[in-house]
Amino acid sequence: AGSMAGRMMHRLHRQLQQKRLCCSMAGMRRNSGMALEPIQQDYLDFLTQIKTRIRQRQYQALRAVNTELVMLYWELGEAIERKQQEQGWGKSVVKNLARDLQSEFPGRNGFSAQNLWLMRQFFKEYRDKEKLQPLVRELSWAKNLVIMSRCKDDLEREFYLRATARFGWTKSVLQHQIDNKSYEKYLLNQTNFDSTVPDAIKEIGRASCRERV
């Protein structure tokens, strides 16, 4: 009996020690978690900042590329217009120019004959519009073509140029806004937009209204 009682006491003692060890390890894990949590949060904050910075730089780089491309197309359109005025360049010469440029720069659809003529039109449309020239540089070539082809009034063009840059409209959204006659609706019901539309765009609407009076 004494031996059995001794074994029971020994077993209870071991169980008590194991329980104390488990509690001690759990406490260590809790303390470790508390120590790591601020470090983990700091890393997550840092990661978010880096991601934001990368996206901002990517957007700025894309805008810079768009600006340079639009300026290149402007210069090509100006050069073609000058040659046409000085030497009477016609469709055949521009067609040859397109072929030679595409041969030198393969994979660039921007140098088709049709696009070269559009560059010339782009230059002619805006060469005397100093107010609009800085605005067209802010948009991609594709968006500029939409506005140039579908908006014939300077104030309407200015409206869509500013709004597209301000609100970051994609080409499809821009086309939808024009299809939806957003410019005309703004003129007819200005007060509904006054809280969301920037002052520069509001002034376009007021100027257009004055011209129509």
Side-chain angles (χ1 to χ4, degrees):
S3 177
M4 182 179 295
R7 287 197 297 271
M8 290 180 62
M9 291 294 296
H10 180 69
R11 190 180 300 117
L12 288 173
H13 180 70
R14 288 182 58 188
Q15 290 177 350
L16 180 61
Q17 286 182 326
Q18 289 176 351
K19 185 175 181 180
R20 287 175 178 173
L21 179 62
C22 289
C23 291
S24 177
M25 292 180 65
M28 290 175 63
R29 284 196 296 268
R30 285 195 299 270
N31 293 334
S32 175
M34 290 175 65
L36 287 176
E37 185 175 350
I39 298 176
Q40 292 173 345
Q41 185 61 49
D42 180 72
Y43 172 77
L44 292 176
D45 292 341
F46 176 76
L47 180 61
T48 300
Q49 294 172 6
I50 293 299
K51 288 179 178 179
T52 301
R53 186 176 302 177
I54 290 172
R55 291 191 180 99
Q56 289 174 341
R57 292 299 185 185
Q58 287 177 333
Y59 176 69
Q60 291 171 357
L62 180 60
R63 287 191 62 181
V65 170
N66 281 332
T67 299
E68 291 299 321
L69 186 63
V70 169
M71 291 308 300
L72 170 63
Y73 288 174
W74 174 281
E75 292 170 359
L76 290 176
E78 181 180 13
I80 292 172
E81 170 64 12
R82 185 170 59 251
K83 285 293 186 182
Q84 189 174 40
Q85 294 298 323
E86 295 174 353
Q87 302 180 19
W89 275 20
K91 292 182 178 180
S92 60
V93 180
V94 174
K95 185 177 180 180
N96 290 338
L97 177 62
R99 184 190 63 237
D100 292 335
L101 289 176
Q102 288 175 325
S103 176
E104 181 68 23
F105 305 101
R108 292 293 301 272
N109 297 328
F111 296 135
S112 66
Q114 180 184 9
N115 214 32
L116 291 177
W117 285 116
L118 287 171
M119 295 174 200
R120 171 180 170 270
Q121 181 187 352
F122 180 68
F123 167 72
K124 291 181 65 177
E125 290 284 351
Y126 292 109
R127 62 181 171 184
D128 298 323
K129 312 290 177 54
E130 294 184 3
K131 187 177 181 180
L132 299 184
Q133 288 175 18
L135 302 179
V136 300
R137 299 189 191 110
E138 297 184 23
L139 303 186
S140 68
W141 178 243
K143 295 173 187 177
N144 269 304
L145 290 183
V146 171
I147 294 174
M148 183 175 70
S149 64
R150 300 194 57 185
C151 305
K152 302 304 180 184
D153 179 86
D154 284 351
L155 289 172
E156 182 181 9
R157 284 179 176 175
E158 185 179 356
F159 176 88
Y160 285 112
L161 286 168
R162 290 188 182 276
T164 302
R166 171 65 175 80
F167 299 114
W169 290 343
T170 62
K171 178 184 174 182
S172 59
V173 171
L174 169 61
Q175 290 173 322
H176 174 73
Q177 293 291 339
I178 296 175
D179 290 338
N180 199 39
K181 300 187 181 301
S182 296
Y183 173 67
E184 290 84 351
K185 289 181 178 178
Y186 174 70
L187 295 181
L188 294 174
N189 196 10
Q190 274 191 358
T191 53
N192 285 352
F193 291 86
D194 281 347
S195 59
T196 58
V197 174
D199 291 338
I201 299 179
K202 295 177 188 176
E203 181 56 32
I204 299 169
R206 288 191 286 266
S208 181
C209 288
R210 288 194 296 268
E211 286 191 1
R212 297 179 184 211
V213 173

